[in-house]
Amino acid sequence: QVQLVESGGGLVQPGGSLRLSCAASGSSFSIYAMGWYRQAPGKERDLVATISSVSSGGILNYADSVKGRFTISRDTAKNTVYLQMNSLKPEDTAVYYCNAKHPLRYSYWGQGTQVTVSS
């Protein structure tokens, strides 16, 4: 069992930055592929960025809409995954969710954190 707790969301002006954190409880954090997803009002939940497990080399993957602006990383010692978001745009406004995917393909989700980009 894994519990995920996101933090770091908030209100930011266009062009600003935020760093989201996702703290994972439970064992074997390093075997999970971790990801960030987002869901805007009235829309489906979309992938933002993922990082594969430590044993898989920590391969990074980004949605085209955030490439060059967002960076996903993981700190295995702290059981935490981060999403650094720079050059934020109003269209980045959404609830951001952390995801942990086990090698057997089942997943855990956090409760979400709101990010609002507005002047």
Side-chain angles (χ1 to χ4, degrees):
Q1 187 77 9
V2 173
Q3 290 186 323
L4 304 172
V5 179
E6 301 102 333
S7 61
L11 173 64
V12 64
Q13 292 186 344
S17 297
L18 283 175
R19 189 177 80 156
L20 305 183
S21 299
C22 172
S25 64
S27 61
S28 305
F29 172 72
S30 63
I31 72 171
Y32 286 83
M34 302 298 298
W36 288 96
Y37 293 72
R38 66 187 180 187
Q39 188 167 18
K43 295 187 176 181
E44 295 184 350
R45 189 174 298 187
D46 292 326
L47 180 147
V48 175
T50 60
I51 182 168
S52 68
S53 65
V54 173
S55 61
S56 297
I59 298 170
L60 309 180
N61 181 51
Y62 296 96
D64 288 343
S65 59
V66 307
K67 283 181 180 177
R69 300 189 298 124
F70 290 11
T71 302
I72 187 171
S73 61
R74 67 193 299 164
D75 186 331
T76 304
K78 296 182 178 179
N79 279 12
T80 300
V81 64
Y82 303 98
L83 185 69
Q84 178 67 43
M85 305 186 294
N86 299 326
S87 302
L88 283 160
K89 304 176 182 180
E91 51 264 43
D92 294 318
T93 296
V95 178
Y96 283 70
Y97 296 91
C98 180
N99 174 269
K101 182 179 290 186
H102 190 273
L104 296 179
R105 298 294 184 181
Y106 55 84
S107 286
Y108 299 96
W109 292 93
Q111 83 288 351
T113 185
Q114 176 70 46
V115 172
T116 302
V117 185
S118 175
S119 55

